Amino acid sequence: THLRPLLSEFFGGFRTVRKGGVGMEVNHATKSSEWVSGLGVLSLNYTSWANWRARLETMASDREIVKEHLLNHSVRRGDFTLKSGRRSSWFIDSKQTICAPKSMLSVARLVLAEIPAEATAIGGLTMGADGVSFITAGVAASEGRSLRAFSVRKETKDHGAGGRIAGSLLPGDKVVITEDTVTRGTSLMEAAYVAKEFGCEVVGLIAVVDRGGTVSAMAAQEGWTFRALFSAPDLGFEYEGA
C-alpha cells in the first residue's frame, strides 16, 4: 500500500511516442526526452530507476525511524480510558513522534508520499491534525511542492473572521484531511465535512496511526480513500475500533 504512489510515479512517468517513424521515450516527471537509440534509453531508464530506488530506500528508512520512535516514545501500556469511554490496555500519543526533531521529517516525508498529486492543501481538526499538516506542508514547500496548511476549529469562531477554518485554505482547493491517531475516525470525518462545506474537494484522508480499523469503510461510503502510515497491528496491537 505504501509503495503505490512511488510505483505509479515510476511506471506512469514514461510512454513511447512515434514521430516520423522514430521512437522517442518521454519522461513526464522530468519533462525530458531521449531518442530511442540503445544506450540512450538505457541511460534514461537507469537514471530513473536509480532515483526511484533511492527514494524507496529513504521511505523504508523513514518507516523504520517513525515506527521505532512511536514504540519507544508514543506508546504507553497500562489501563486507559479512551475518548469513546472504552477501556484499553494501551494508549498512543503520536504527537510525541510527530513533533520530535528526530522523527518529524520522516513523518512528513511518509505523509507526503501518500498525498495525491492533485492535492493543494492539507489540514484537519485541531489539535490532532495540526502537527501533521504543518510539517508536511513545510517539507513539501522545501521540495518545490505547494500545499496550503489549515486547521478546522472545534467550534465556530464568533469574532474576527469567524467560521471554523483557520490557516491557508481557499474554496475549490483539493484537500487531504489528516489526523495524528484515529480510532473511530469521528474527528477525521468531521473535518472532511467542514472542508467540503467550505467549498473544497476532499481527495483523501490520512492518519499517522490507525488504532481502530474502521475508518476505511466509513470513508468509502462518502467516496473517500483512507490511508494510515501505521496500523495497530503494525505496532503489535489489535484493532479497537469496533
Side-chain angles (χ1 to χ4, degrees):
T1 301
H2 303 293
L3 300 182
R4 187 183 298 114
L6 289 180
L7 288 170
S8 176
E9 177 181 329
F10 180 70
F11 290 108
F14 296 91
R15 69 182 176 92
T16 299
V17 298
R18 294 285 169 180
K19 184 176 182 181
V22 180
M24 183 173 68
E25 198 76 9
V26 181
N27 184 329
H28 296 287
T30 60
K31 306 300 183 185
S32 63
S33 62
E34 285 193 18
W35 298 107
V36 176
S37 58
L39 293 177
V41 174
L42 289 175
S43 175
L44 177 63
N45 287 338
Y46 176 79
T47 300
S48 299
W49 165 251
N51 292 339
W52 183 82
R53 185 177 63 180
R55 290 187 59 189
L56 191 63
E57 290 173 349
T58 298
M59 191 173 180
S61 175
D62 284 335
R63 282 191 62 80
E64 292 176 5
I65 290 170
V66 175
K67 181 178 180 179
E68 181 180 1
H69 202 283
L70 286 169
L71 290 172
N72 291 335
H73 300 280
S74 293
V75 171
R76 289 187 285 167
R77 294 167 174 82
D79 184 20
F80 302 96
T81 300
L82 303 179
K83 182 179 178 181
S84 62
R86 293 182 56 184
R87 310 289 295 186
S88 177
S89 62
W90 69 288
F91 176 77
I92 182 165
D93 177 10
S94 51
K95 293 182 185 66
Q96 297 298 324
T97 295
I98 294 164
C99 300
K102 290 184 178 180
S103 50
M104 65 167 59
L105 290 178
S106 293
V107 172
R109 284 192 291 263
L110 291 176
V111 172
L112 193 58
E114 297 288 349
I115 293 179
E118 69 268 25
T120 58
I122 180 171
L125 195 68
T126 192
M127 294 181 58
D130 294 343
V132 185
S133 304
F134 299 152
I135 63 172
T136 302
V139 169
S142 73
E143 296 181 357
R145 182 174 179 182
S146 179
L147 277 179
R148 278 185 275 276
F150 67 96
S151 296
V152 176
R153 297 187 181 97
K154 294 182 179 179
E155 297 179 354
T156 301
K157 185 178 178 181
D158 59 2
H159 58 281
R164 294 189 63 181
I165 300 294
S168 180
L169 187 66
L170 299 174
D173 270 332
K174 298 180 185 296
V175 303
V176 167
I177 303 299
T178 191
E179 183 80 10
D180 53 1
T181 303
V182 296
T183 303
R184 295 179 301 161
T186 53
S187 296
L188 199 67
M189 297 299 289
E190 179 183 350
Y193 293 137
V194 172
K196 184 178 179 180
E197 184 178 350
F198 187 74
C200 299
E201 178 185 350
V202 178
V203 295
L205 310 177
I206 299 175
V208 174
V209 177
D210 176 15
R211 62 170 296 154
T214 61
V215 182
S216 290
M218 189 162 48
Q221 293 178 357
E222 299 290 342
W224 301 329
T225 299
F226 168 73
R227 293 175 182 164
L229 301 186
F230 297 91
S231 65
D234 288 335
L235 301 177
F237 302 95
E238 295 183 358
Y239 280 127
E240 294 186 341

